[in-house]
Amino acid sequence: MKKILTKMKMPFCQGCGHGIIVRSIAKALEQLGYENKDTIIVSDIGCSGLVDPLFDTHSIHGLHGRAPALGVGVSLGLDNPGKKVIVIQGDGGVTIGLQHVLEAARRNIDITLVVMNNLLYGMTGGQISGLSTRKFKEQRDFEVDVPPFDIVKLAHVSGAAFSARATSIKTYPDVMKEALEVNGFSIVEFSSLCTSYAFKKLDQLQEVIEPPEIFKNERIPVRIHQRVTNSLFDKLDVVEKQFDSKIKSGIGVVVAGSAGGGVQSAAKMLATAGMLSGLHATMKGEYPVTVGTGFSVAEVILSRSYVNYTGLEKPDVVIIVSEDGLNKVRGKIKDNDTVIIDSSLKTDEYPDAIYGDFVRNAGKRGAALAALAYWLKNSTLIDVDALKKAVSTHKYSKVLLEAIDKGMS
Amino acid sequence: METLTKKMVFTDASMIITEACVRAGSDVFIGYPITPSNRFYQYGTQRFPSFLAGPDEITVMQWMSGFSAAGKFPVTATAFPGLALMAEGLNMAYAMELPMLLILTQRLGPSTGSATTGAQGDLMFLNGLISGKYPIPVFSHSDFEDAWDMTYESIKMAIKFRTPVVLLTSKELVMTNKSFDINKLKEIIPVKKFSTEVIEPYAPYKTGEEMVPAYIPLGDEKYQVRINASTHNDAGLIKKNDPESMANTKRLKEKFEKRIDEFTFYDYDKEEKAKKLIVTYGISADASRDAVGKLREEGEMVSLLIVKTLLPVPGAILDIINTYDEIVFVEENISGIYKEILFGVDHNPKIKSVNKIGNLISPTEIIKAVKQ
């Protein structure tokens, strides 16, 4: 079997602990019988990010803190339990990308995350990280009152199958082996000596680090769900011309009411009725981001020719069935527009407006459709039967047909 | 298959783009919900072979990259706030040369702006998105047929050039329903993902004439694949300031420049003898089409250029523009972003700009500007 490591000399500072961790990973992989092309190393930024050329395997080198998320993508994308995805990052990487570690643990994605914790940011001059311990910070008299994240416990409570902290280098290959054997998300935080910015000797490091621990969750890994789907177009109704229309060129209709009042649905029925009458139709809705409160306005254009521009420079017909709707379209109504308003909204703003008892007769939810039916009956621009046909395939067709009848009465 | 019968449906471009993505062979939609890209997410859950709900857009871009490195084609859809979070990840995917599609539905900014109001405000950000101003391909669509075709072209391009591609759209383009004959849509053939031609001995970033490295997934049994976002050599290992890695970095720009004719898309409605040209893209194209129709009825001679390859800027676009005496740019933003990308900020008497925020630019406003 080929060795997992290349012959390259360790690129770390003299006495750095990262080399020991790299050798422990390789030893564990070899003991478990992983071949070079079975292994994918996902590396982060910082001193831990120098590992790629050391491993004679596949490798991908990404951004600071994001390697666990990148590794999740690789693992789910490969969807191959025979491959081993190992993510390597430092304590700085864990700090900036904490969310990614928790997310991978929550989903129990089949990757092994190796955290090389040297208590500091080595590449930028030894600044403390979110995993720097209090005892270490006491020595520097810096942020002593801020505890470190216990990434091992955090991963465990998030759902990781295996989480461990290893502090004695003799145990590293065995803990690594145990982590690699896990089917699901495993994380090992290895203590690592930074000779440049922390300590010269290992026993000095031992005095400031957190004790070893191991946690397990009995879980199966979450894998990608593959499925066969049908074309989105299959769900659409194919509309064929069945009626005639008296619309000569085109007409723009605004329906204004309240959210939850069936405004968008009524407008869609009008558009479909137009299509059933051989016309081109467009529709756009405007409503607040909340559901069921506030205004709801829809614009429909029906035209003999294909509609390019879907903005309504000037509507021909404005239908208003609630106070919210009136407030929203007020100011957009021009002279010569046909304005149809529910009787409950008596206003002297539009002297030529036509009033109807849509809400009283068809209820709040049926008012918009009733008002449209009323307008179609009186204008005869589109056959009301086209509107009835449009609602006939709707799951609430019975109620909608009643609303149309109420509007016409 | 061309059919003579019509198949009229009432739909929107979000559905058309989603359907085109899957037919072209996309494997997974990785989403984080944001208005006005909601319908992509909704349709994505129904149609993609796999769907993942990311916890934030930074994660989404990392998961996308992981999938792509493993040989699966990922798609996502977002709006500016999400794009901003993806910026570093997109630089990573770009440098790694990972194929993927990002649908960007523009909405009114700055910042959170108005989530349900359309805009064309993000092109300048995309133009400078990759540090060093390396070009990221940005395509645009202007109607339903375009939405279908440009989605297909985006995916073909992403795989052919091993690159993230942005399909730039906006709220009104993808949330307005229209009656449409879906039999007009051309057949889409799934795009082949992996390279069959590998230059031996294999090196992950070694390229030939095509200037694009072979696309082999991580985990391959034959080749050792190394992917790298930092400055790297042909072997995919970090190497700074040596000729090989610098050549690799320069190639990221050169691969597009050399082969730009392969992805230059536009609609040019040329009026013989016209001295005026309207230049537009995306949501402002429909109003421009109507304006040109009315202007011609009134005897005004005017041509129309609807640009679909926005970035990098193809020479063919400039060649057309430069034959006119008067150019009117139509864009739904405050100062004319595409105009500024092409002509800078200096005053140029040949150039006019029709701009607006908060609402669609109307044909009337374009006609007025052309006649002035």
Side-chain angles (χ1 to χ4, degrees):
Chain A
M1 200 175 96
K2 240 178 117 183
K3 291 279 181 193
I4 288 289
L5 293 183
T6 60
K7 289 188 177 133
M8 187 183 157
K9 190 174 158 261
M10 290 292 160
F12 311 111
C13 305
Q14 198 76 40
C16 171
H18 285 8
I20 297 162
I21 302 167
V22 167
R23 284 196 190 91
S24 302
I25 297 169
K27 192 172 174 189
L29 280 167
E30 284 165 7
Q31 283 180 2
L32 291 169
Y34 280 100
E35 301 280 342
N36 304 66
K37 290 193 182 77
D38 292 339
T39 309
I40 297 114
I41 298 291
V42 184
S43 64
D44 213 82
I45 295 290
C47 301
S48 72
L50 298 172
V51 297
D52 290 48
L54 297 173
F55 286 91
D56 195 6
T57 62
H58 296 289
S59 65
I60 179 165
H61 176 72
L63 301 179
H64 191 43
R66 314 296 167 201
L70 185 60
V72 165
V74 172
S75 176
L76 291 175
L78 283 175
D79 197 27
N80 184 345
K83 303 284 172 183
K84 187 51 85 175
V85 178
I86 301 172
V87 181
I88 299 173
Q89 67 178 167
D91 46 308
V94 171
T95 308
I96 192 174
L98 187 61
Q99 160 80 15
H100 306 307
V101 180
L102 304 187
E103 187 67 34
R106 179 168 82 99
R107 290 170 186 261
N108 199 29
I109 303 292
D110 193 10
I111 60 175
T112 296
L113 172 59
V114 171
V115 180
M116 298 177 164
N117 184 5
N118 62 5
L119 308 174
L120 51 78
Y121 293 84
M123 270 199 178
T124 48
Q127 298 86 350
I128 57 111
S129 79
L131 270 61
S132 301
T133 61
R134 273 178 151 165
K135 282 181 187 160
F136 180 58
K137 289 188 280 191
E138 273 168 15
Q139 296 183 359
R140 302 182 159 206
D141 197 18
F142 189 83
E143 288 198 355
V144 177
D145 46 354
V146 184
F149 282 120
D150 186 335
I151 191 61
V152 178
K153 278 204 185 84
L154 282 172
H156 173 66
V157 296
S158 302
F162 179 90
S163 341
R165 180 180 302 111
T167 57
S168 162
I169 56 174
K170 277 181 269 173
T171 63
Y172 286 5
D174 286 341
V175 179
M176 188 65 207
K177 204 170 138 190
E178 198 177 349
L180 287 174
E181 282 177 311
V182 169
N183 189 15
F185 183 74
S186 57
I187 173 174
V188 185
E189 180 193 325
F190 291 104
S191 299
S192 184
L193 180 67
C194 177
T195 48
S196 296
Y197 297 107
F199 307 105
K200 292 293 167 205
K201 294 205 168 76
L202 213 47
D203 50 2
Q204 292 172 300
L205 174 70
Q206 290 294 336
E207 281 170 25
V208 302
I209 55 179
E210 298 288 322
E213 52 190 2
I214 286 190
F215 302 103
K216 289 173 190 175
N217 283 308
E218 287 301 322
R219 288 182 73 190
I220 51 165
V222 174
R223 298 198 183 275
I224 191 85
H225 300 282
Q226 294 281 350
R227 61 195 179 163
V228 176
T229 61
N230 296 322
S231 169
L232 291 167
F233 299 153
D234 292 353
K235 290 177 191 143
L236 298 173
D237 292 325
V238 177
V239 186
E240 283 173 20
K241 181 178 183 295
Q242 296 174 34
F243 300 90
D244 289 319
S245 162
K246 288 182 186 166
I247 290 174
K248 288 199 183 80
S249 56
I251 192 166
V253 183
V254 172
V255 188
S258 297
V263 170
Q264 303 301 327
S265 163
K268 193 184 169 200
M269 297 306 157
L270 174 65
T272 309
M275 290 171 68
L276 285 162
S277 309
L279 300 168
H280 290 271
T282 76
M283 176 198 157
K284 62 174 114 192
E286 196 189 353
Y287 31 85
V289 286
T290 47
V291 174
T293 51
F295 68 91
S296 178
V297 174
E299 293 180 7
V300 175
I301 299 173
L302 301 173
S303 172
R304 287 275 163 212
S305 52
Y306 181 78
V307 182
N308 290 316
Y309 175 66
T310 57
L312 261 185
E313 290 197 71
K314 187 189 133 6
D316 301 286
V317 182
V318 182
I319 288 167
I320 303 162
V321 292
S322 82
E323 187 83 37
D324 291 326
L326 177 63
N327 291 336
K328 189 67 194 170
V329 297
R330 183 178 277 132
K332 290 180 187 166
I333 299 169
K334 309 265 167 41
D335 295 343
N336 303 327
D337 288 356
T338 299
V339 181
I340 297 171
I341 307 183
D342 189 78
S343 306
S344 64
L345 303 166
K346 285 282 183 206
T347 167
D348 47 16
E349 290 169 79
Y350 312 108
D352 298 328
I354 302 157
Y355 290 90
D357 285 336
F358 310 116
V359 175
R360 202 169 64 192
N361 292 339
K364 277 185 182 169
R365 287 173 186 274
L369 192 60
L372 278 174
Y374 173 84
W375 165 61
L376 289 183
K377 185 192 161 200
N378 289 290
S379 68
T380 69
L381 287 171
I382 287 176
D383 197 328
V384 180
D385 285 343
L387 190 64
K388 286 184 179 172
K389 176 84 189 168
V391 305
S392 65
T393 54
H394 197 283
K395 62 177 171 177
Y396 300 121
S397 60
K398 192 165 166 270
V399 184
L400 297 175
L401 285 167
E402 276 171 26
I404 291 173
D405 287 337
K406 295 266 170 58
M408 288 164 61
S409 61
Chain B
M1 282 274 280
E2 287 287 323
T3 51
L4 294 172
T5 52
K6 280 187 178 181
K7 201 170 175 186
M8 296 300 293
V9 297
F10 197 53
T11 187
D12 59 59
S14 299
M15 182 179 281
I16 288 172
I17 290 169
T18 308
E19 183 65 29
C21 282
V22 177
R23 292 208 195 172
S26 302
D27 295 293
V28 59
F29 189 100
I30 304 177
Y32 185 84
I34 187 167
T35 307
S37 261
N38 341 27
R39 289 190 190 174
F40 290 111
Y41 192 103
Q42 179 199 337
Y43 296 140
T45 57
Q46 297 165 15
R47 184 65 173 108
F48 270 72
S50 299
F51 185 96
L52 283 170
D56 60 75
E57 288 92 343
I58 293 176
T59 307
V60 165
M61 188 42 63
Q62 292 299 322
W63 288 1
M64 299 261 291
S65 300
F67 268 88
S68 183
K72 301 291 192 310
F73 192 85
V75 178
T76 193
T78 190
F80 178 79
L83 175 70
L85 291 183
M86 289 177 183
E88 192 193 15
L90 267 167
N91 270 261
M92 180 194 83
Y94 185 87
M96 288 178 167
E97 297 183 77
L98 297 176
M100 62 178 66
L101 176 64
L102 186 146
I103 301 160
L104 179 64
T105 311
Q106 296 173 101
R107 67 187 216 187
L108 185 65
S111 183
T112 333
S114 297
T116 54
T117 300
Q120 293 181 280
D122 297 339
L123 191 59
M124 193 59 91
F125 185 76
L126 292 171
N127 194 38
L129 178 69
I130 307 299
S131 177
K133 210 191 162 292
Y134 293 80
I136 186 163
V138 178
F139 289 149
S140 144
H141 68 102
S142 67
D143 59 28
F144 282 10
E145 276 178 88
D146 256 6
W148 183 260
D149 295 342
M150 292 315 297
T151 304
Y152 190 22
E153 293 300 339
S154 296
I155 293 170
K156 281 198 276 187
M157 165 129 204
I159 291 169
K160 198 172 174 185
F161 285 82
R162 268 191 67 165
T163 183
V165 171
V166 178
L167 181 63
L168 187 66
T169 182
S170 72
K171 186 252 173 181
E172 304 269 355
L173 265 178
V174 294
M175 293 189 92
T176 301
N177 280 66
K178 279 189 171 188
S179 51
F180 180 67
D181 176 13
I182 47 170
N183 278 349
K184 278 173 141 180
L185 300 174
K186 295 185 197 94
E187 190 187 358
I188 287 179
I189 299 155
V191 185
K192 196 163 69 75
K193 294 187 195 85
F194 304 118
S195 305
T196 43
E197 284 173 31
V198 174
I199 305 165
E200 301 286 355
Y202 169 78
Y205 287 99
K206 190 162 74 177
T207 65
E209 284 267 297
E210 308 268 272
M211 302 191 89
V212 178
Y215 182 30
I216 311 281
L218 284 175
D220 191 75
E221 295 293 340
K222 185 175 175 193
Y223 299 109
Q224 183 184 52
V225 178
R226 290 191 185 275
I227 298 175
N228 207 319
S230 298
T231 307
H232 53 265
N233 58 15
D234 286 354
L237 292 168
I238 293 179
K239 192 90 183 167
K240 63 176 202 173
N241 283 335
D242 84 320
E244 189 178 296
S245 52
M246 280 303 108
N248 233 322
T249 305
K250 286 180 191 160
R251 183 180 52 76
L252 294 173
K253 183 167 192 276
E254 291 163 355
K255 69 178 176 183
F256 296 121
E257 285 174 346
K258 188 186 172 195
R259 300 171 62 189
I260 198 158
D261 290 347
E262 294 175 40
F263 60 93
T264 297
F265 301 100
Y266 56 83
D267 281 346
Y268 182 29
D269 179 2
K270 187 180 179 184
E271 172 87 33
E272 294 300 331
K273 294 184 191 163
K275 294 200 162 97
K276 293 180 180 179
L277 173 72
I278 294 174
V279 181
T280 191
Y281 63 95
I283 188 59
S284 299
D286 272 333
S288 301
R289 288 186 182 106
D290 282 353
V292 165
K294 282 183 189 148
L295 283 162
R296 286 177 182 169
E297 279 172 22
E298 292 170 18
E300 187 89 38
M301 285 194 287
V302 60
S303 296
L304 173 64
L305 180 62
I306 296 169
V307 182
K308 296 175 197 174
T309 303
L310 289 168
L311 297 172
V313 177
I317 300 287
L318 293 166
D319 290 345
I320 292 170
I321 291 174
N322 286 331
T323 59
Y324 288 86
D325 294 344
E326 191 180 320
I327 303 112
V328 181
F329 282 86
V330 183
E331 297 174 74
E332 195 183 322
N333 53 50
I334 203 160
S335 56
I337 292 170
Y338 186 57
K339 178 202 72 173
E340 191 176 324
I341 288 171
L342 297 191
F343 291 97
V345 291
D346 197 9
H347 175 72
N348 182 333
K350 281 175 67 173
I351 294 162
K352 283 183 188 171
S353 196
V354 184
N355 303 112
K356 189 179 184 180
I357 58 165
N359 251 315
L360 297 178
I361 296 170
S362 71
T364 312
E365 288 160 326
I366 300 166
I367 291 166
K368 200 175 140 199
V370 171
K371 282 183 170 175
Q372 255 173 16

